[in-house]
Amino acid sequence: AQTVTQSQPEMSVQEAETVTLSCTYDTSESDYYLFWYKQPPSRQMILVIRQEAYKQQNATENRFSVNFQKAAKSFSLKISDSQLGDAAMYFCACCQGGSEKLVFGKGMKLTVNP
Amino acid sequence: GAGVSQSPRYKVAKRGQDVALRCDPISGHVSLFWYQQALGQGPEFLTYFQNEAQLDKSGLPSDRFFAERPEGSVSTLKIQRTQQEDSAVYLCASSLATAEPGGEQYFGPGTRLTVT
């Protein structure tokens, strides 16, 4: 069975600083995708960034980047120049490969302090 | 509409009642997913459709849960004889699916079900 673990339930960061959210996963798939989703308070979940497991290059989307360590099954999210609008629950998810369904971690609440 | 919509947004049911939750996916999206999100937890997969075919229902917690998508667009998740442990937010998501592997799932706002 696929599992996703987010060990930090909450984090806080000062505005304009950098924060890293950790995630580990386990899967028997050889080809899969990893995702970070953001769920703002009372708003819909939206995709932040996606990583294809067969690609060695880490994905980057503007201020968001990942550190993907396939052998260690680690997939952390780095948010640079944090903004107040980044405050949300962040969910790590895996693994579309043979199956379309996603397995989510428990989430991490990020607070951004002005 | 531009995004995934769900109705009702909030539902209160007495234990033992049946409920029906509706999902309108993004037009043209082939795949549709239902997830259950308990308070303070991440979403958990319930079931998945590709067009009208239900390809995976392994996450449905009991035979009281039933989902359908008869014409390959709108989907309904039905819960019979609701129990308190069914209280959760039910999320619907859709994706193009066949457009590319590992495609983005677009989520609706969810239906918050409270069973009293």
Side-chain angles (χ1 to χ4, degrees), chain A:
Chain A
Q2 296 156 341
T3 59
V4 177
T5 302
Q6 293 179 253
S7 56
Q8 304 152 304
E10 290 191 46
M11 292 186 75
S12 63
V13 63
Q14 290 297 124
E15 198 175 3
E17 293 190 347
T18 296
V19 64
T20 299
L21 288 58
S22 64
C23 173
T24 57
Y25 64 94
D26 193 18
T27 181
S28 57
E29 299 277 352
S30 57
D31 185 20
Y32 53 91
Y33 295 79
L34 294 156
F35 306 82
W36 278 99
Y37 277 88
K38 168 185 177 182
Q39 190 175 42
S42 302
R43 292 183 61 188
Q44 287 160 242
M45 193 170 302
I46 57 173
L47 179 66
V48 174
I49 198 164
R50 173 179 58 190
Q51 174 77 41
E52 298 163 79
Y54 67 87
K55 286 190 176 178
Q56 292 187 334
Q57 185 173 7
N58 289 323
T60 299
E61 288 286 343
N62 301 315
R63 298 183 295 108
F64 299 88
S65 61
V66 301
N67 183 2
F68 174 48
Q69 303 289 328
K70 190 173 183 179
K73 293 184 177 175
S74 169
F75 181 60
S76 61
L77 174 69
K78 186 171 82 171
I79 306 175
S80 304
D81 185 25
S82 297
Q83 300 176 0
L84 296 177
D86 294 334
M89 288 291 295
Y90 285 81
F91 293 95
C92 178
C94 174
C95 299
Q96 288 177 349
S99 170
E100 292 281 336
K101 68 184 180 187
L102 292 178
V103 176
F104 286 84
K106 289 188 175 182
M108 195 224 67
K109 181 180 179 181
L110 178 66
T111 300
V112 181
N113 300 310

Side-chain angles (χ1 to χ4, degrees), chain B residues 45-87:
Chain B
F45 171 80
L46 293 176
T47 187
Y48 156 58
F49 291 85
Q50 193 168 93
N51 296 307
E52 69 278 4
Q54 190 174 20
L55 298 187
D56 188 343
K57 55 181 181 179
S58 61
L60 296 176
S62 77
D63 58 7
R64 296 186 296 104
F65 286 72
F66 173 76
E68 60 184 4
R69 194 186 185 198
E71 297 179 358
S73 55
V74 171
S75 178
T76 304
L77 176 67
K78 297 178 180 178
I79 309 173
Q80 297 177 323
R81 305 181 303 281
T82 52
Q83 304 293 316
Q84 283 195 315
E85 60 263 29
D86 300 335
S87 296

